[in-house]
Amino acid sequence: MKIYTRRGDTGETALFGGGRTAKDDTRVEAYGTVDELNAAIGNASVHVTHAATRDRLGVLQSDLFAIGAHLATPPPRPGRTAPSLPELPVERVARMETWIDEAMEATPPLRNFILPAGSAGASGLHLARAVCRRAERRVVALAAAEPVDPAIIRHLNRLSDYLFAAARLENLEGGHRDREWKGRP
C-alpha cells in the first residue's frame, strides 16, 4: 500500500467526514499540533524511567488520537451524516488530576518557577508540555470560529499540568534537582 496520494500537492487536505480544506486552515493547525504533541510524548516516553509515568503516557497518546479525530471532523454538511468517531476520554481529566496531585505531593514544594531541564526524560516531558500548551491555543482558536467540544480544551489544559508534574517527578526519581529560575544571572 502506498502512503502518498498526491492529493495534497496543491496545499489542501481531506477532512474526516468529507470535504477538503487548506493545510493552513485553523482546524488543520489544531489537529496537526495535537499530532505533534502525540509525537513529543512518544519521544519523551523513550527517556522516562518512571514506569507508571511511561504507562500513563501510552494511555494519553491513545486519548490524543481520539481528540485528533474529533478535531479533524467538521460539523456535517446539511443532508450528510456525521461519521462515527471514537469516544472522547472525558473521564481522563479527573484521573490526570489524581496523577498530578500524587506527583506534586512526592516532589518538593514549588517556591520559584522551574526551568525546563533535568534528566532526558524530564526534559522531554517539559518539551511535550510546551507543545501541549501550543495545541491548546490552536484548539481555542478553532473553538472561536467553529464548534469544539469543551472536553477537548479541558483535557489539553490538564494534560499540560500533568506533563509538568510528571517532569518534576522524573527529575526527583532520577536524582536530578529541578532547576529554579533565579532571574538575571
Side-chain angles (χ1 to χ4, degrees), residues 153-166:
I153 297 169
R154 278 192 303 275
H155 190 285
L156 293 172
N157 190 352
R158 210 66 79 251
L159 177 54
S160 64
D161 294 336
Y162 171 67
L163 293 168
F164 176 79

Side-chain angles (χ1 to χ4, degrees), residues 15-87:
L15 294 171
F16 194 53
R20 296 186 65 76
T21 193
K23 289 186 176 185
D24 65 351
D25 182 82
T26 307
R27 179 173 299 283
V28 179
E29 280 290 330
Y31 72 73
T33 308
V34 167
D35 184 41
E36 183 182 351
L37 168 60
N38 207 337
I41 289 173
N43 184 61
S45 71
V46 172
H47 304 286
V48 166
T49 59
H50 189 254
T53 300
R54 212 174 28 253
D55 292 344
R56 292 168 180 170
L57 293 175
V59 168
L60 294 166
Q61 283 188 284
S62 292
D63 291 351
L64 291 173
F65 259 94
I67 288 169
H70 281 261
L71 294 172
T73 308
R77 294 185 210 165
R80 294 197 70 171
T81 321
S84 178
L85 293 169
E87 204 173 312

Side-chain angles (χ1 to χ4, degrees), residues 159-181:
L159 177 54
S160 64
D161 294 336
Y162 171 67
L163 293 168
F164 176 79
R168 293 198 69 221
L169 184 61
E170 182 70 14
N171 270 338
L172 176 74
E173 299 224 343
H176 295 269
R177 295 179 69 171
D178 284 326
R179 284 185 41 207
E180 294 182 350
W181 178 66

